[in-house]
Amino acid sequence: MVQLYNLHPFGSQRVVPCKQEPAHFCCGRDVLFVASAAASCRVEVFAVRDQGRCEPLGSFATLGPVLRMAHSEAGDYLVTIEEKSKATFLRAYMNWRCMSAGSSRVCVRMVGHKMEESYGETLKEQMSIVEMPLSDPPLCISCCPVNGDLLVGCKNKLVMFCLKYLVINQNLTVLDFERSLILHIDNLIPAEVAFCAGHIAITTELDVLILKLVQQSADGTEQCAHRVSTLEKPVDGGPSTHTLQLELDEFIICQKPVELLGEESKLCEIPVTLESTELPTEDTKHFQVQYLLFRRFTPDQSPFGFCEETKLHSVQLLPVYQTGHEETGNKRELLSLFCFFSLPHVGYLYSVGKLVELISTYQYSEKSEQAVLTPQFLHVITSENLQCFTVRCSAAAARDEDPYIDTTAKACPPVALDVCTLRMQLFIGPRAICHFKNHIILLTKANTEDITERRKPTRRMLSRKADSIKSRTNSESEPGWNLYIINTVSTIQLYREMVDYSRTYENVKTESCIHLLSEAHLLVRAAIMDPSFLKSDEKEELLRAFRESCAALGDCYSRFDTKDYHLALPYYRMSGLSMTEVLKRLVSEGDEIQTYERGFIFYLTHSLNEDLNEELSKESANKVLQIFYLADPVQLPNILCSPCMRNVCPLTAVKYLQKVEKIMPSVVLTLTKAFMALKIGDLTMYEHEMDSYKETILACGFIGQPKLLRQHKKGIVTPTEFAVHLKEMQPGLLVAATVALHENSKIELEEADTFFKMLSSNSENTIPQLLVDFWEALLVACSQEEILQELLLRVTSQYVWRISNKQLPETKPLKTTEDLINSCNHFGLIFPWVTSIMSVGSPSDQDYHEDISKLQSLLCSQSINIASVLPVLEPLTEAGNVGLTIHVLCSTRLGKYEEAIDQLLKSCPDAAVLYAQHELKDDNRAVWWNKLLPELCKRTRLAGNDCPVLISSLKAETLSVVATELELRDFLSLLPEDGTAAFFLPHLLHCSQKKQLT
């Protein structure tokens, strides 16, 4: 559907001072080219100044009447199709600007002709005409706006010429062409072609085909095209495309309409063969053809016109470039590409870049003659009007450029938004149109009845004859012509008018108001995406208008009850407005009760739940509180915990919370009331609320609203007053709540570290005891192996640091070693031999008993990775009995039992047997006789009676175990030769009796 508004996109208009009647015209950069009618064979050139003023630059002669002409911005050349003696010629006019300097010298050369360096100075001062001979007459032309390459349409083929920059010498570069590629397309006579960045659009009278030249990979050797042989056939099995080209005397046979997009377009039954014609070099590019779109129409049977009048026209490829890249020469980064073509009564706009899809359909009020597409508008001429439509190119391109559009961060009006007619300007007999920058060039003729009569096509509509591309006018019989240059108003001026117009719909038609503001937004967005935007004098004003349009759309989606109410949030974000400013726009002053729509509530909810660096004033915060109490009372606890609501009146908050609690009580609501009670300073109310639930339930309640404990300020975690109070009065609840937050992915481990450090006001390098309590509690609850090992390493490091630095914790630990052993699998029972060693330790070790026993308990479990903590344990290697236990525990965990026995016999022989009894079992029992027995015998011999501990260790347990485990012969072989028989005899008898019993 096309909506009609009566706006004013057209500004002043001037008459172009042509000496002869125009036959064709085109624009380029800052100039207008006008080809005169058949008699004069000249092209007039006009410089277009501010406000559309045209100043003649000069003129040059052509070989004959100009049938088609086009200007290339890249290379700044003019290319024409000219006719002379019933033959057509393709010519390119280079360096034509030298005419304005008064030079009349012209050089005519063949394409590819080698230019000698001696001609350097001459070439600078003369216009060059490049002749491009073709085997078939040229029918249509198109220049690529990206790189200046030229595409020529001939019968059954398209010829591509690459623009070349030839360096003659240091001061002179000359343009030339190289015929590089021919696309052979059987049974196709192109009426129009469009060429842009390797994309080719071809129209016949009723068919549209869009192709893309894809460069093959380096190892590709074939220049191939997709060849297909199937097409959706009509029900009656009618003729193919080839048959449709036949001229019938009485009947016209038409196939039914077809639209094939993307990969399906290969089924169009139009084979394309590529022929490379450039000289092969290392840089030669090899292409293949990718089909993008095929569409076939049928003659119009509507009441608007006869079937003979149905012909496609105005095919165009429109590039949109990346935003924010300054235009330097021809190097602009292509972002999106669009294709437009039109029937007499309907126009079609497709996106053919990353995705091929129909964007918009334009229904004209009367038969169209020609149309021209720009990034902001579609201009269409009919027999009596110049019509201006909006387009959706900027909406589609914005989504190609920014992946965050259509999220809560950014928004843009939808591509599917209905287009609208901004203006239908009356003109007498519009005949042709072109556009550049903010100017429209329009050719009109007065005697429209004669024109209409003469332009009626013959019944041979399905064939394309050479005479159909001749000039449509005859200056001798039709003197009533005018060539106008019409200025479109500035983007800002039209934007302001659209915004003012939208206000007339604010209270009547919600959809129309949003539609007009969306059009205004897209208008500004298109201007910002233009490559010239960075150099524009209106840059700051356009950016301001963009933010204003976002704010206006945010207002609409906040005030109106629409299905797209959620768009209020991204539009307000893009506007740059603070929450206070939005509140001023939407909330009336005073205590009167308003009705608030979903969009406004959605915006407030998301904004308050995010960690913004904005604090609302007391009045604004209280107003927000009232809004949510009326609109969504369930959200009150979440809203009150927002950093933005820091200045809210706690008494007012408690009053609202009490009302909500009667209807929907919850733990989070109770905790929020307790928080507000702390702000008031009412500890009685606080204790009453905290006593309402058990501590475990309260800890889980913080999961529902973590901001009760911590908030973010400029990206830094900050404890709340509630957390500070819990640290002093209920540290166990604080730790349990933080563990619950971590286990429910509400806080990261590093965040928790920062939280507890800030809570304890410790320096960055000091670990507070409350953080150690958190790590210990998290070890009980956590099940992720990676986090477990990190926690084990952290607590180990802290225990070692305190023991080695003789540093006591600043607060009493929440859990003792016994508590951890009973509740956590990662803390093991301390081995008896460890206890034995510690029983003879120094009295100073008792001051750090908890840290020592927790560390020993960790090493007695099987959870910790010993290899990873060895560097951390290094400071304790010389720490007396504590260091000995740590050293032996590590050796044991690493399977170094003999090393552990050496350490014990050297430093604490009393514990050697206890160690062996506990550790040397099963597969390790052989250590008893292979290591312990020989070592005890050796040390006893050396010490004699001075070390009774060694003798008792040997006699009490070691010999008994060995005698029990070994055969008599093996046992005897282990005994020392100089040993006392009486000492070993009881054990020998025991071993002998064991043998007899078995």
Side-chain angles (χ1 to χ4, degrees), residues 398-687:
R399 288 169 170 82
D400 289 339
E401 184 177 46
D402 194 341
Y404 291 101
I405 285 182
D406 298 326
T407 66
T408 55
K410 295 181 182 179
C412 180
V415 176
L417 183 71
D418 288 341
V419 295
C420 69
T421 307
L422 296 181
R423 184 77 177 174
M424 297 177 68
Q425 186 73 41
L426 182 64
F427 277 92
I428 299 175
R431 294 298 307 275
I433 186 174
C434 75
H435 170 276
F436 80 112
K437 294 185 178 178
N438 62 327
H439 307 295
I440 297 168
I441 315 301
L442 181 66
L443 174 64
T444 65
K445 290 196 176 183
N447 46 347
T448 56
E449 294 180 1
D450 294 341
I451 297 170
T452 306
E453 184 65 27
R454 181 164 54 259
R455 292 192 65 209
K456 280 190 178 179
T458 64
R459 188 170 291 274
R460 298 179 298 174
M461 66 160 216
L462 294 173
S463 64
R464 188 80 178 181
K465 296 300 182 181
D467 61 353
S468 65
I469 61 170
K470 293 182 181 180
S471 174
R472 299 187 234 174
T473 63
N474 185 320
S475 60
E476 294 180 2
S477 60
E478 296 176 7
W481 58 268
N482 273 309
L483 187 63
Y484 295 104
I485 182 163
I486 304 165
N487 296 314
T488 54
V489 299
S490 70
T491 299
I492 294 297
Q493 182 179 335
L494 184 57
Y495 163 77
R496 298 288 180 211
E497 184 184 9
M498 294 172 85
V499 171
D500 291 341
Y501 200 149
S502 70
R503 294 193 179 104
T504 61
Y505 295 110
E506 274 184 340
N507 300 318
V508 185
K509 292 184 177 180
T510 302
E511 292 181 1
S512 295
C513 182
I514 293 177
H515 186 274
L516 256 176
L517 287 174
S518 297
E519 294 286 10
H521 176 86
L522 289 175
L523 184 74
V524 175
R525 188 184 281 272
I528 291 174
M529 297 184 80
D530 190 278
S532 63
F533 165 70
L534 292 174
K535 300 177 182 178
S536 171
D537 296 335
E538 293 184 329
K539 178 180 176 180
E540 293 304 321
E541 201 170 357
L542 283 169
L543 290 174
R544 187 163 53 251
F546 180 81
R547 292 190 292 269
E548 287 176 6
S549 71
C550 292
L553 283 167
D555 290 346
C556 285
Y557 288 112
S558 295
R559 288 181 175 138
F560 303 146
D561 184 16
T562 69
K563 62 182 178 67
D564 295 321
Y565 65 89
H566 61 278
L567 293 175
L569 176 62
Y571 277 121
Y572 276 139
R573 282 180 171 169
M574 292 162 65
S575 72
L577 292 175
S578 67
M579 206 183 321
T580 301
E581 291 169 326
V582 172
L583 286 168
K584 288 179 180 178
R585 294 169 74 99
L586 298 176
V587 179
S588 60
E589 296 182 2
D591 297 328
E592 61 182 83
I593 297 177
Q594 288 180 248
T595 301
Y596 301 102
E597 298 296 343
R598 293 178 296 171
F600 182 45
I601 301 302
F602 184 83
Y603 162 75
L604 283 179
T605 301
H606 279 75
S607 299
L608 291 168
N609 284 335
E610 291 176 5
D611 299 311
L612 303 178
N613 297 322
E614 177 186 3
E615 287 187 9
L616 296 175
S617 66
K618 183 177 180 180
E619 294 73 17
S620 297
N622 289 343
K623 193 65 180 179
V624 168
L625 193 63
Q626 182 190 35
I627 289 169
F628 275 94
Y629 174 70
L630 296 172
D632 193 2
V634 178
Q635 293 290 333
L636 277 183
N638 299 332
I639 300 308
L640 285 167
C641 295
S642 170
C644 305
M645 298 287 285
R646 185 178 300 276
N647 298 320
V648 73
C649 175
L651 284 171
T652 306
V654 169
K655 181 182 70 174
Y656 282 123
L657 288 170
Q658 287 172 341
K659 292 179 180 179
V660 176
E661 190 176 33
K662 293 177 182 178
I663 308 168
M664 293 169 286
S666 69
V667 183
V668 176
L669 193 145
T670 299
L671 288 170
T672 308
K673 284 176 66 181
F675 189 13
M676 294 298 112
L678 280 178
K679 287 193 171 188
I680 298 170
D682 190 341
L683 293 180
T684 304
M685 181 193 296
Y686 169 81
E687 291 171 2

Side-chain angles (χ1 to χ4, degrees), residues 7 104 111 293 302 394 428 436 439 474 492 607 762 823 964 987:
L7 298 172
S104 59
V111 66
L293 179 143
S302 70
S394 59
I428 299 175
F436 80 112
H439 307 295
N474 185 320
I492 294 297
S607 299
N762 285 30
S823 62
T964 303
H987 299 286

Side-chain angles (χ1 to χ4, degrees), residues 929 962 965-975 991:
W929 50 85
V962 174
E965 293 293 330
L966 295 182
E967 296 292 334
L968 182 59
R969 183 181 300 173
D970 296 331
F971 184 36
L972 279 170
S973 66
L974 292 173
L975 297 180
C991 187

Side-chain angles (χ1 to χ4, degrees), residues 139 155-156 185-191 202-208 238-249 251-255 268-270 294 296-297 311-312 459-465:
L139 302 176
K155 182 179 180 181
N156 297 332
I185 310 174
D186 296 340
N187 299 295
L188 183 82
I189 303 177
I202 315 158
T203 60
T204 63
E205 291 184 343
L206 291 172
D207 292 352
V208 181
S240 67
T241 307
H242 316 321
T243 312
L244 284 177
Q245 302 299 325
L246 297 176
E247 297 180 9
L248 303 178
D249 293 333
F251 301 101
I252 298 174
I253 302 174
C254 302
Q255 287 189 316
C268 65
E269 210 178 43
I270 300 179
F294 174 75
R296 170 175 294 147
F297 298 93
K311 292 181 182 179
L312 288 162
R459 188 170 291 274
R460 298 179 298 174
M461 66 160 216
L462 294 173
S463 64
R464 188 80 178 181
K465 296 300 182 181

